[in-house]
Amino acid sequence: NPIEETTAEGITEASGFVLTAPEDAEDVKYAIINADEPTYEMSFTLDGKEYCYRVTPTVVVEAVDSTGLNYEWDYEDVTVAGFDAKYASNDEATALYWLDIVPGINYSLGCDANVAAEDMIALAETLFAPVQGDSDGDETDGSELAQLMAGHYEDENSNTVDITYTGMSTYDVTI
């Protein structure tokens, strides 16, 4: 897949996603991985560990590991910002991934070191910016993206999802 280096602003302009690195992060880089479902990536070093955070609009109905780390994993079911997630780890690396089924966005956070589940979850929750509005019903800057995500989607197996954004963090979804 062709990878296009960009900036945080470039990702926001291309996708509406706002990717913000932790305050203490070093060597922060941004990229767009152009594929059938483009992936928006932010990589950085934090406390001597290399992390990669990816956001992918998708029509899948199950979270997938899009970290790009290819290891044999031990899995644990966890929760990130109220979403069911998978924590995958071994002695060499760690992955955490979850899906916001409406509006259809897969998130992943990978690290080149073994990081405890609670630490990965805490970092993921600081990186995660929901596009559906926050829990008190107020719209966030992501509400524009939520409107952009509305539409008709079909995967390679002809499974379809129709998403209609009706405002105030409300959607009509037909699968």
Side-chain angles (χ1 to χ4, degrees):
N1 295 327
I3 299 175
E4 172 189 341
E5 290 185 18
T6 189
T7 62
E9 295 80 16
I11 286 181
T12 302
E13 288 174 16
S15 66
F17 294 117
V18 177
L19 302 185
T20 305
E23 214 171 277
D24 298 338
E26 299 174 343
D27 196 27
V28 180
K29 297 178 184 168
Y30 298 88
I32 299 172
I33 303 170
N34 293 302
D36 292 337
E37 295 175 334
T39 296
Y40 305 95
E41 175 182 285
M42 175 178 60
S43 60
F44 56 91
T45 302
L46 185 65
D47 299 326
K49 298 177 181 119
E50 293 180 25
Y51 291 88
C52 182
Y53 179 60
R54 291 181 171 173
V55 180
T56 308
T58 186
V59 297
V60 299
V61 294
E62 185 175 313
V64 295
D65 180 359
S66 62
T67 60
L69 299 171
N70 297 309
Y71 291 96
E72 293 290 321
W73 298 112
D74 292 321
Y75 292 96
E76 182 181 336
D77 292 328
V78 296
T79 302
V80 174
F83 295 95
D84 291 338
K86 288 284 186 194
Y87 167 78
S89 66
N90 61 32
D91 292 337
E92 300 175 51
T94 311
L96 180 66
Y97 53 97
W98 65 100
L99 175 72
D100 183 352
I101 197 165
V102 177
I105 302 172
N106 192 78
Y107 298 87
S108 68
L109 177 62
C111 183
D112 70 345
N114 184 293
V115 178
E118 57 272 8
D119 295 334
M120 282 291 280
I121 293 167
L123 178 57
E125 289 179 342
T126 66
L127 299 173
F128 176 65
V131 298
Q132 298 184 58
D134 58 25
S135 61
D136 63 8
D138 291 342
E139 292 298 299
T140 66
D141 292 339
S143 64
E144 289 179 28
L145 175 63
Q147 294 175 42
L148 292 173
M149 295 300 298
H152 176 81
Y153 301 93
E154 186 171 335
D155 69 11
E156 67 275 358
N157 298 319
S158 299
N159 297 312
T160 61
V161 175
D162 290 300
I163 301 173
T164 305
Y165 179 74
T166 58
M168 293 305 296
S169 301
T170 305
Y171 301 82
D172 289 329
V173 179
T174 306
I175 299 176

